[in-house]
Amino acid sequence: MRCFSLDINGDVIIKKNKIEIVDGDNLTIQKIKQILLTNYGEWWLDKKEGLNQRDILVKNPNYQIIKDQIRQAINQVDDNLIVTKIDISEDSINRHLTINLNIDGKELIVEV
């Protein structure tokens, strides 16, 4: 499968008047990032897609709930993906989470 390549802002990348295409593992990583950055119910084409950010961005977060939510979101991309590591670092002042994942041996960092 192939898809448009997206930059860190979620915009389609265009170089030399051509849309860049992504496939394979890079496409899977791109899909995971998009799922984790989409709030559950926010996308009008599929209300059941995304990460429930209301459970995550709270005053005293429960990291086990956050990890479970992340695993559920990743399963929306592919049920066969194996998450071997989830590390979470919190910036409580800016209400920002950095999620460091290891999925099928590949490192992925996402900020929510």
Side-chain angles (χ1 to χ4, degrees):
M1 180 181 239
R2 299 172 56 178
C3 189
F4 298 142
S5 182
L6 304 177
D7 65 12
I8 59 172
N9 297 318
D11 297 325
V12 175
I13 299 173
I14 300 174
K15 289 187 179 174
K16 297 182 181 178
N17 292 327
K18 291 192 176 197
I19 297 174
E20 282 196 11
I21 302 295
V22 65
D23 59 5
D25 289 342
N26 291 331
L27 177 59
T28 302
I29 290 169
Q30 179 174 292
K31 286 180 179 182
I32 291 169
K33 282 184 179 181
Q34 289 305 114
I35 288 286
L36 293 176
L37 294 172
T38 302
N39 193 17
Y40 184 81
E42 177 179 277
W43 191 44
W44 62 277
L45 289 174
D46 188 353
K47 297 283 187 183
K48 295 179 183 176
E49 185 172 285
L51 178 68
N52 192 346
Q53 295 178 4
R54 288 186 194 164
D55 291 343
I56 293 174
L57 300 175
V58 295
K59 189 171 186 177
N60 296 314
N62 181 329
Y63 289 107
Q64 189 56 50
I65 291 175
I66 293 172
K67 289 178 182 183
D68 291 342
Q69 291 284 339
I70 291 168
R71 281 189 175 90
Q72 289 175 5
I74 291 170
N75 284 337
Q76 294 173 27
V77 174
D78 186 349
D79 289 337
N80 298 319
L81 293 173
I82 299 170
V83 180
T84 55
K85 178 182 87 168
I86 300 176
D87 290 330
I88 300 169
S89 59
E90 175 186 4
D91 178 1
S92 58
I93 295 171
N94 297 320
R95 295 179 55 103
H96 222 72
L97 287 179
T98 300
I99 304 166
N100 189 337
L101 303 166
N102 193 311
I103 302 169
D104 289 342
K106 293 171 183 56
E107 194 79 17
L108 175 64
I109 298 173
V110 179
E111 291 187 16
V112 179

